[in-house]
Amino acid sequence: MAVCPKCGKQLRLYHWRPECPACGVNMIYYNANERLLAETEQAEIEHAKHQPRFDRAKAAFFGSAPAIARLVLSVLPLGALFLPLGRRADAAGTINALTVFNRLSEDAGAVVSGVKAGDFTSIALALLLVSAVLILVCVVCLPMSLGRHGKARNLILNAVMLGCAVGAAVAFAVGGGTLLVGAFVYIGLLAAILIYNLYLAKKGLRVKHTTCLIGGLPSDEYFEMVKSGRSELEIRKKMVEALTVMQEEVRAQAAAAEAAEAEKRAAWK
């Protein structure tokens, strides 16, 4: 139930006027500046708390040359799937991503039944499909790789998809198939991703943190003052000082720009 911000009187549905029926204050404009300042400060606090997540996501995905190299390396195995992966002795033509897709779209039930029956070719197709899906999962998870469990998640996914690819190759060969160049390129690229992620996990990626201001104060300084138990009045005084300095800098920059423009006009004359 709504209450008057000044006297605390509880308001009913029929109290539709902006004036409080008890104290007569205009409840819309009462302490409007203070409430606006508090709301602005709270919005800046929330932004400062969430900004590091965006900074880490950007750094992990495309924030530096090593991150971009990992992104490119992560999607390369999908291209290798379109190379000739293998050939069965009892079938004409080679197997690649297109033939696997056609097989699954035409009769996915037969593949599932083959896996249950222990057919090595069906097992190979299933493992290959799992490894390809995990590649997409890894790419989606890249922005989160600098999170709390990001490094471990990436390495586990990389190891599982490499294991599935190797298992698919072994199952296909045991089933009488012949591995072609695409299979070795695919497995090699997956191994390269795992090795590169191990390297990045040890070396780390540089994160460029965005400076956030709360009432003119850097967010780190503001949170440190709050943590140390500084009073709200003291924090507000610091904010006023910081905003004053910022206004002076803006005025100085504007004056310098105006002076430069005046010099240009004088030079043209």
Side-chain angles (χ1 to χ4, degrees):
M1 184 178 294
V3 297
C4 174
K6 182 179 181 182
C7 66
K9 176 180 174 57
Q10 292 185 349
L11 305 175
R12 307 294 180 179
L13 291 176
Y14 53 81
H15 291 144
W16 56 271
R17 294 180 179 275
E19 292 80 14
C20 175
C23 63
V25 70
N26 189 307
M27 294 178 288
I28 297 178
Y29 298 106
Y30 179 75
N31 282 343
N33 291 336
E34 289 77 4
R35 286 188 281 115
L36 179 60
L37 179 61
E39 292 174 359
T40 303
E41 184 177 318
Q42 186 60 37
E44 292 176 340
I45 291 173
E46 293 298 324
H47 176 260
K49 288 181 178 178
H50 290 89
Q51 185 60 44
R53 298 179 184 176
F54 294 106
D55 292 338
R56 289 194 297 269
K58 179 181 177 181
F61 201 56
F62 56 83
S64 61
I68 295 174
R70 179 174 64 178
L71 176 60
V72 174
L73 186 60
S74 297
V75 299
L76 278 179
L78 294 176
L81 288 173
F82 292 91
L83 297 174
L85 300 175
R87 179 186 294 109
R88 289 196 58 175
D90 57 348
T94 60
I95 297 174
N96 59 15
L98 295 177
T99 56
V100 171
F101 176 78
N102 291 333
R103 172 76 182 277
L104 292 173
S105 61
E106 290 174 357
D107 196 359
V111 176
V112 175
S113 300
V115 172
K116 293 180 180 179
D119 177 62
F120 286 106
T121 301
S122 299
I123 294 173
L125 293 179
L127 290 175
L128 182 64
L129 179 62
V130 172
S131 68
V133 171
L134 288 179
I135 293 174
L136 298 177
V137 174
C138 286
V139 173
V140 173
C141 291
L142 281 182
M144 300 177 285
S145 62
L146 293 181
R148 181 176 300 179
H149 307 294
K151 295 179 181 179
R153 178 176 57 245
N154 271 6
L155 293 175
I156 291 173
L157 289 174
N158 293 159
V160 172
M161 66 187 188
L162 176 59
C164 288
V166 173
V170 172
F172 188 76
V174 171
T178 301
L179 298 177
L180 299 180
V181 61
F184 298 104
V185 172
Y186 182 64
I187 293 174
L189 288 173
L190 293 181
I193 295 173
L194 177 60
I195 295 172
Y196 191 63
N197 273 319
L198 285 170
Y199 166 75
L200 291 181
K202 182 178 180 180
K203 182 180 179 181
L205 288 171
R206 182 176 58 87
V207 180
K208 184 179 180 181
H209 293 285
T210 302
T211 302
C212 298
L213 298 179
I214 302 176
L217 293 176
S219 57
D220 293 340
E221 181 179 349
Y222 173 85
F223 290 132
E224 184 62 32
M225 293 177 69
V226 173
K227 185 178 179 180
S228 62
R230 308 282 281 273
S231 65
E232 183 178 352
L233 179 60
E234 188 176 358
I235 295 176
R236 290 291 171 82
K237 287 182 178 179
K238 288 286 187 180
M239 288 181 176
V240 172
E241 294 175 359
L243 290 173
T244 301
V245 172
M246 291 174 61
Q247 289 177 351
E248 292 176 353
E249 291 178 352
V250 170
R251 292 194 187 98
Q253 292 175 1
E258 186 177 352
E261 185 65 24
E263 290 181 0
K264 289 181 180 179
R265 289 196 298 267
W268 280 103
K269 291 180 180 180

